[in-house]
Amino acid sequence: MPADKQALDAIFKDVFEEGVSEGINTKNPLRDVIKSERVPFKGLDIVKLAHTSRNVSPMFVGEDSAFADAGQQGYSRLYIDQRKLMSRIRMTYEVMQDSTSTEGAFISARKSEMQYLIDDMSRRDEYAMAADGRGVLALVNEATPNGNTTLELDAPGGITNANFGNRFLSTGMFIGFVNPATGALRASTTKPKVTAVNSDGTDVTVDAAANIGTATADNDYVVQVANSSVTDVQDTSYEHAWWGLMALVDDGTYRASYFGVTRADVPAYSSYVTASTGALSTDLIQRVADVVDQKLGGRISMILCHHSIRRLVVQLTDADRRYMGASLARPDPGTVAFKQGDVPFGDVPVRAIRDFPLDVMMFLDLQNAGFKEYVSEPGKWVDEDGSVLIRVGSGTSGRDAFEAWYRMRKQYFMEGPAYCARLDGITGQSLVVQRAAGS
């Protein structure tokens, strides 16, 4: 038998390249857009006083005639709270010790786990910035969800839409179901764990059909829960996320109360929103800018949408695009959008955001809206007891392993939501939705 590689397989080594290739989408484009003013947080709430209505007594009158009764200025108080995002890692002594050198491991397990967790926290912040603060991942989309391991979903992020309901759920998550009418967690002995996420966006697979629970109903909120034994809504993501743009730029569709003020009573805190927009047109987009100008003198400086909506904006000019001179020999049918650049509309950039709602276009006056980020903890490893790494258990439950917790605590706020606007329910787009790699 010849001495070939198959025969002498035992003598050969595997040769490993240095480093670790990045297979996860680590970009957070929405966080780059919203440059908020960071304000420290102390006390129970931040209370803001706002001037919200005029004295209505000014009146044209005749000689020696009666005139209007005395009026007064109107003021409103807003109460800004804090929301918290927590995460943790758990490592054994062996995995930390045996990965400290390049001879034993590609990278340090301790260093990589801690660094990548911070990246994962930023990813969750990015998702929250495009949502409404309810902490809803999706809505149940089947009449009888109990009894099978496949759970049909719609309304990704809790935002109305029939497509790609699973885009914010991940394999390994424990989930629960909240009754939209009461805000109570639906009862089940064990909360289901997501074991697979369907590539077409319609559903997820859970570990056991019985875990969904007989009480779960169509259109229930799907939320993340801490573990399989959770029974209290306090231990879920429901109403614990900080407010994102769908809450700040709103007319009451998702947030009827704006930090304690009823939006319907105070126009300055109610954005212009159309619920069922339909087909997009240049006149419709212009109409939004005109409304914002009339309401508070707003000037739109940024338009945000999902990639599928941006393609509709590109299509608005397809029929009118012309080629001249040298370009006639090599006509380019593309636009700056092909390289993920901003498509201009009236010199205002239209920017595609990966996690944005699928049929929404948002108009922002970044100069006047007054984005703020009230922060009590921008992000740090929990170390109030003097140590980042905490021993796991004690006595008979003790293990030679360590946990570390990471904490962020803040709330987003907008001084003038009426400077901004939103178009919901845009139709005509060909949806192309891909989950961010690694999510």
Side-chain angles (χ1 to χ4, degrees):
M1 182 177 181
D4 57 17
K5 273 197 169 183
Q6 182 177 357
L8 299 182
D9 177 72
I11 73 169
F12 288 98
K13 296 180 179 179
D14 289 323
V15 178
F16 296 99
E17 288 189 355
E18 293 293 329
V20 178
S21 298
E22 185 58 76
I24 290 178
N25 187 339
T26 59
K27 295 181 179 179
N28 297 309
L30 185 53
R31 194 68 182 90
D32 295 334
V33 170
I34 306 302
K35 302 299 183 183
S36 55
E37 176 188 352
R38 183 166 286 188
V39 182
F41 181 94
K42 298 292 182 183
L44 180 64
D45 293 301
I46 294 291
V47 182
K48 292 183 65 68
L49 183 66
H51 180 209
T52 53
S53 64
R54 301 178 184 276
N55 184 322
V56 298
S57 67
M59 170 184 170
F60 294 104
V61 298
E63 182 179 355
D64 200 24
S65 66
F67 58 98
D69 292 341
Q72 65 181 34
Q73 301 299 314
Y75 300 90
S76 298
R77 285 188 178 186
L78 298 97
Y79 299 86
I80 303 162
D81 61 355
Q82 292 283 272
R83 301 293 179 93
K84 185 161 63 173
L85 179 63
M86 293 286 297
S87 60
R88 61 177 153 186
I89 57 175
R90 185 182 188 277
M91 296 174 288
T92 64
Y93 163 77
E94 286 80 3
V95 78
M96 290 191 293
Q97 180 64 26
D98 296 346
S99 64
T100 55
S101 67
T102 55
E103 291 84 359
F106 284 107
I107 53 176
S108 164
R110 176 176 172 178
K111 181 178 179 180
S112 64
E113 286 294 307
M114 296 181 79
Q115 180 56 56
Y116 286 145
L117 184 66
I118 296 173
D119 294 343
D120 296 341
M121 293 283 280
S122 297
R123 172 72 184 96
R124 187 58 62 178
D125 181 26
E126 176 82 359
Y127 146 75
M129 287 189 71
D132 62 7
R134 290 180 297 165
V136 175
L137 300 171
L139 268 61
V140 175
N141 187 34
E142 54 181 307
T144 54
N146 182 54
N148 60 80
T149 57
T150 302
L151 180 66
E152 300 293 328
L153 303 169
D154 63 3
I159 307 303
T160 302
N161 193 279
N163 302 286
F164 294 92
N166 71 10
R167 66 190 292 225
F168 298 121
L169 283 87
S170 299
T171 301
M173 275 185 178
F174 287 98
I175 57 174
F177 307 95
V178 171
N179 183 339
T182 65
L185 185 65
R186 298 285 194 186
S188 63
T189 304
T190 303
K191 294 298 179 286
K193 182 178 183 178
V194 177
T195 58
V197 179
N198 191 331
S199 60
D200 68 8
T202 59
D203 58 60
V204 296
T205 304
V206 299
D207 53 353
N211 293 346
I212 292 177
T214 57
T216 302
D218 191 24
N219 291 321
D220 274 2
Y221 298 150
V222 181
V223 298
Q224 188 174 4
V225 303
N227 52 62
S228 62
S229 59
V230 165
T231 58
D232 192 328
V233 74
Q234 175 67 19
D235 299 321
T236 76
S237 63
Y238 183 60
E239 287 295 359
H240 292 146
W242 40 73
W243 285 26
L245 287 174
M246 290 299 288
L248 301 176
V249 182
D250 192 35
D251 64 344
T253 301
Y254 296 103
R255 289 292 184 181
S257 175
Y258 189 72
F259 296 101
V261 173
T262 301
R263 275 188 143 125
D265 297 338
V266 184
Y269 296 125
S270 182
S271 307
Y272 174 69
V273 176
T274 64
S276 301
T277 300
L280 201 62
S281 68
T282 55
D283 178 70
L284 180 60
I285 297 174
Q286 179 62 51
R287 193 186 315 165
V288 175
D290 293 345
V291 169
V292 169
D293 176 52
Q294 294 175 64
K295 197 167 187 178
L296 271 183
R299 294 290 182 270
I300 302 303
S301 57
M302 175 72 74
I303 301 174
L304 301 180
C305 58
H306 185 259
H307 298 72
S308 299
I309 299 297
R310 183 180 62 180
R311 289 198 303 278
L312 290 181
V313 178
V314 173
Q315 291 172 24
L316 293 177
T317 61
D318 278 351
D320 301 315
R321 205 169 298 146
R322 297 292 183 268
Y323 305 97
M324 298 176 63
S327 66
L328 289 174
R330 298 179 63 187
D332 185 350
T335 68
V336 294
F338 189 75
K339 291 186 176 181
Q340 301 308 312
D342 298 335
V343 176
F345 188 97
D347 287 333
V348 173
V350 178
R351 183 166 299 180
I353 300 294
R354 176 192 63 217
D355 295 323
F356 222 67
L358 300 177
D359 59 0
V360 171
M361 177 175 275
M362 188 171 290
F363 301 76
L364 302 177
D365 182 343
L366 296 175
Q367 285 69 42
N368 295 309
F371 287 97
K372 289 189 175 180
E373 186 178 356
Y374 288 93
V375 182
S376 54
E377 180 49 70
K380 66 172 290 188
W381 292 99
V382 176
D383 63 353
E384 279 75 8
D385 59 356
S387 178
V388 170
L389 291 175
I390 308 167
R391 294 179 184 177
V392 175
S394 62
T396 57
S397 65
R399 297 291 183 270
D400 191 10
F402 299 83
E403 280 197 351
W405 304 347
Y406 196 86
R407 176 200 299 135
M408 296 172 68
R409 189 166 175 259
K410 62 182 180 179
Q411 179 63 287
Y412 290 112
F413 178 78
M414 186 184 289
E415 295 277 4
Y419 282 105
C420 305
R422 205 176 76 215
L423 298 178
D424 294 355
I426 297 172
T427 60
Q429 67 273 40
S430 298
L431 283 174
V432 177
V433 182
Q434 286 289 319
R435 296 171 59 84
S439 65

